[in-house]
Amino acid sequence: MSLDFSGKVAIITGAGGGLGRSHALALAARGARVVVNDMGGSVNGSGGADTAAAKVVAEIVELGGEAIADHCDITDVDAVAAMVATAVDKWGRVDILINNAGILRDKSFIKAELDDFRKVIDVHLMGSVICSKAVWPHMVEQNYGRILMTTSASGIYGNFGQANYGAAKSGVVGLMNVLAIEGERKGIRVNSLAPTAATRMTEDLLDEKTLALLAPESISPGALFMVSDDAPTKTILSAGAGVFAIARMEESQGVYIPEGALSPEVVAERWSEISDMTNSVQVPAAFDQTRRFVEKAVAEQAAN
């Protein structure tokens, strides 16, 4: 199977370097027309310049591809709408959105400033919301779309000093879960990528040998599959150093406690059963959990 993106139009945020650049070059090499979005700011979100996006566009064009640069702030609703409108005006559609742009303002929770906390969530989570919202009507109309959120192990598992980043990256998984459900009947598949890569965000944290293994190019093949025609949906793909794995949320089977015994003490007594992940289950949607719990309670009551 050869993945071909000819005729597809992709918007990639934060594509002026690192992972975004790698995704953009890889998609363009397989025929996609690409909007390279990047403000050109620093890792902490300050400043800005149009050179980063322009350089990636020049690389794509030099390799025979089609691309345009965009420098908008993804938290600016009107600017994002204009970016999407430009893509649609030029190429007639938008098929793929990769929400990749992000910033870091790491500090332990006790030292973190709330303004920094809000800014990180605004860029990672609300930026993904705003961009997804802007492309959504076009994807619904054409009955086709692929959206890839960029989450992180920091959001899935936690990481010291990254409460703001972790909260934002966990938030985009929640966004993915709902959009995947809402988009299913419209031909829209929504997934998340949890990369561990050598980028500006990690270059000061890792040694040279490790950084070489974690090149962005080792991750982009996974990103391309997750925005392809045959992509899954509502799936988190973890990737790094050429290793790919699925991360997912699961529930234990659950333990029913009858009304007469319902107390915190009984929950404590039966904790080993409650937390037993043997035969764990995946829950398709929130109401499925409600239905599962109700059905279990009714069955237990009937049996006793």
Side-chain angles (χ1 to χ4, degrees), residues 255-279:
V255 172
Y256 171 69
I257 302 173
E259 186 175 354
L262 198 56
S263 71
E265 289 78 15
V266 174
V267 172
E269 288 171 9
R270 302 194 66 180
W271 185 251
S272 61
E273 298 171 73
I274 293 169
S275 60
D276 182 2
M277 294 301 288
T278 305
N279 299 319

Side-chain angles (χ1 to χ4, degrees), residues 158-169:
N159 197 33
F160 185 91
Q162 291 195 310
N164 50 22
Y165 183 76
K169 289 306 192 182

Side-chain angles (χ1 to χ4, degrees), residues 237-255:
L237 178 67
S238 300
V243 178
F244 300 91
I246 296 299
R248 66 188 188 189
M249 298 180 184
E250 297 179 334
E251 285 186 353
S252 63
Q253 281 288 320
V255 172

Side-chain angles (χ1 to χ4, degrees), residues 17-287:
L19 281 168
R21 171 183 171 274
S22 179
H23 299 340
L25 289 170
L27 278 168
R30 290 174 179 264
R33 293 166 288 188
V34 182
V35 177
V36 178
N37 164 268
D38 201 295
M39 282 186 64
S42 66
V43 171
N44 69 9
S46 62
D50 60 7
T51 53
K55 285 180 179 177
V56 177
V57 168
E59 287 184 83
I60 291 171
V61 171
E62 186 176 352
L63 294 170
E66 285 188 75
I68 55 174
D70 180 89
H71 317 293
C72 83
D73 179 346
I74 58 168
T75 66
D76 184 329
V77 175
D78 292 337
V80 169
M83 172 179 68
V84 174
T86 296
V88 173
D89 289 345
K90 184 174 180 61
W91 291 315
R93 57 190 297 119
V94 174
D95 301 284
I96 296 164
L97 168 66
I98 300 181
N99 288 310
N100 173 75
I103 63 172
L104 284 180
R105 295 188 179 182
D106 292 354
K107 281 187 179 179
S108 63
F109 191 58
I110 196 169
K111 296 178 180 179
E113 299 289 340
L114 287 180
D115 284 346
D116 286 340
F117 212 105
R118 289 191 181 97
K119 182 63 177 178
V120 170
I121 289 177
D122 203 26
V123 173
H124 289 274
L125 178 55
M126 288 309 301
S128 296
V129 171
I130 290 166
C131 291
S132 299
K133 181 76 170 175
V135 302
W136 197 261
H138 300 284
M139 292 182 173
V140 168
E141 183 179 359
Q142 66 201 21
N143 201 43
Y144 182 94
R146 298 291 183 267
I147 297 177
L148 186 63
M149 310 293 178
T150 304
T151 184
S152 169
S154 297
I156 301 169
Y157 308 116
N159 197 33
F160 185 91
Q162 291 195 310
N164 50 22
Y165 183 76
K169 289 306 192 182
S170 184
V172 300
V173 172
L175 177 62
M176 171 199 77
N177 287 335
V178 175
L179 295 189
I181 292 169
E182 294 187 7
E184 186 174 9
R185 295 182 180 179
K186 302 295 183 181
I188 304 170
R189 300 182 189 180
V190 188
N191 294 293
S192 290
L193 179 70
T196 177
T199 68
R200 289 191 303 168
M201 292 185 176
T202 59
E203 63 185 4
D204 294 329
L205 306 175
L206 303 168
D207 60 74
E208 289 187 10
K209 184 177 180 180
T210 303
L211 288 171
L213 283 172
L214 295 173
E217 291 75 16
S218 73
I219 291 166
S220 290
L224 264 63
F225 172 68
M226 297 300 272
V227 296
S228 69
D229 288 347
D230 296 322
T233 195
K234 203 181 179 188
T235 301
I236 304 170
L237 178 67
S238 300
V243 178
F244 300 91
I246 296 299
R248 66 188 188 189
M249 298 180 184
E250 297 179 334
E251 285 186 353
S252 63
Q253 281 288 320
V255 172
Y256 171 69
I257 302 173
E259 186 175 354
L262 198 56
S263 71
E265 289 78 15
V266 174
V267 172
E269 288 171 9
R270 302 194 66 180
W271 185 251
S272 61
E273 298 171 73
I274 293 169
S275 60
D276 182 2
M277 294 301 288
T278 305
N279 299 319
S280 62
V281 297
Q282 287 184 273
V283 181
F287 192 73

